[in-house]
Amino acid sequence: MDRQRLERQFAFILEADKEKSVMRQTLLSNGMAHENDADHAWHMALMCLLLSEYANEKIDMLRTVGMILIHDIVEIDAGDTYAYDEQGQTTQRDRELKAADRLYNLLPPDQAAKLRGWWDEFEEGKTPEARFARALDNVQPAMLNCATDGAMWRQNGVRLSQILNRNKNTADGSAVLWDYAYEHFIRPHVEKGNILDNA
């Protein structure tokens, strides 16, 4: 057994526990509390297991779930940037790159390269796995916003144009899931006035 390797693996695992403290703007389906990054990652991994048949292209399930589970770890250092926070998005990439350099390098070099590679792949969104993972990353909060009667959309004055811009590539990962999300999670809340119709 390589003791130093195991110690580095546990150091990363313990550091990753901090993801449970990174709060997101999305409410849990009961509307009583905000989800954290770990809730979000777990929920998307479950969605991937159940909904992968709707990916536009054949995907490697383990690679996709791995990508989902590690993609927001950078927010331990960088913080969560709300999807519609235009000012926060101006520094998001730099904050997250710096965090990725620190966090993934806690691991032994081979695993650091693998997980950092998955993170870069997710960010680039060019592989079937990354496209599907990114689709789920957009559909999951839309589902929860719908389940809470659009509470956070209302609170933040979110416009339909913002949602459509955020989801401009969602159909690249799954046309079926984007169509479903638009028809069942988004459009009804435009009609209710919970999402501003480009006002």
Side-chain angles (χ1 to χ4, degrees):
M1 180 192 77
D2 182 340
R3 189 174 196 83
Q4 186 177 33
R5 178 179 178 83
L6 187 57
E7 286 176 354
R8 290 186 72 166
Q9 290 166 327
F10 269 113
F12 178 83
I13 291 166
L14 186 58
E15 190 73 2
D17 184 69
K18 293 177 181 176
E19 193 175 9
K20 299 173 186 174
S21 300
V22 179
M23 304 310 293
R24 294 170 51 82
Q25 290 293 318
T26 309
L27 292 171
L28 298 174
S29 62
N30 64 13
M32 302 298 289
H34 288 262
E35 75 171 348
N36 63 48
D37 271 358
D39 296 328
H40 175 63
W42 162 80
H43 212 187
M44 287 200 316
L46 179 64
M47 290 172 70
C48 186
L49 291 174
L50 298 176
L51 303 175
S52 61
E53 65 192 89
Y54 303 111
N56 289 349
E57 305 164 84
K58 184 175 174 56
I59 60 168
D60 178 324
M61 176 77 71
L62 179 59
R63 183 182 193 88
T64 310
V65 169
M67 205 178 295
I68 285 167
L69 290 174
I70 61 91
H71 84 284
D72 276 341
I73 282 177
V74 295
E75 294 184 0
I76 290 168
D77 289 358
D80 176 60
T81 303
Y82 182 48
Y84 307 112
D85 176 3
E86 294 174 7
Q87 183 176 356
Q89 288 171 9
T90 62
T91 62
Q92 181 180 6
R93 181 70 177 157
D94 289 340
R95 286 182 284 117
E96 291 186 352
L97 282 168
K98 184 177 177 182
D101 288 342
R102 182 185 83 81
L103 290 159
Y104 295 121
N105 283 314
L106 294 173
L107 284 163
D110 62 316
Q111 290 183 325
K114 182 176 186 176
L115 269 63
R116 175 59 186 265
W118 281 351
W119 184 76
D120 288 332
E121 183 179 343
F122 178 90
E123 290 297 304
E124 291 167 5
K126 293 182 180 175
T127 64
E129 290 80 8
R131 284 191 288 270
F132 189 65
R134 290 170 68 94
L136 295 178
D137 196 34
N138 289 333
V139 169
Q140 188 263 359
M143 176 185 67
L144 290 179
N145 271 295
C146 178
T148 55
D149 197 34
M152 297 309 293
W153 284 328
R154 287 196 314 273
Q155 181 176 316
N156 291 287
V158 174
R159 300 182 308 275
L160 178 60
S161 59
Q162 292 175 293
I163 293 172
L164 294 178
N165 185 57
R166 170 80 177 177
N167 285 278
K168 63 188 175 192
N169 299 316
T170 300
D172 294 345
S174 175
V176 169
L177 294 183
W178 166 243
D179 289 345
Y180 187 90
Y182 183 78
E183 289 301 318
H184 291 85
F185 304 149
I186 297 167
R187 191 167 60 83
H189 289 278
V190 175
E191 293 168 0
K192 288 181 178 183
N194 293 334
I195 296 168
L196 303 175
D197 191 2
N198 299 328

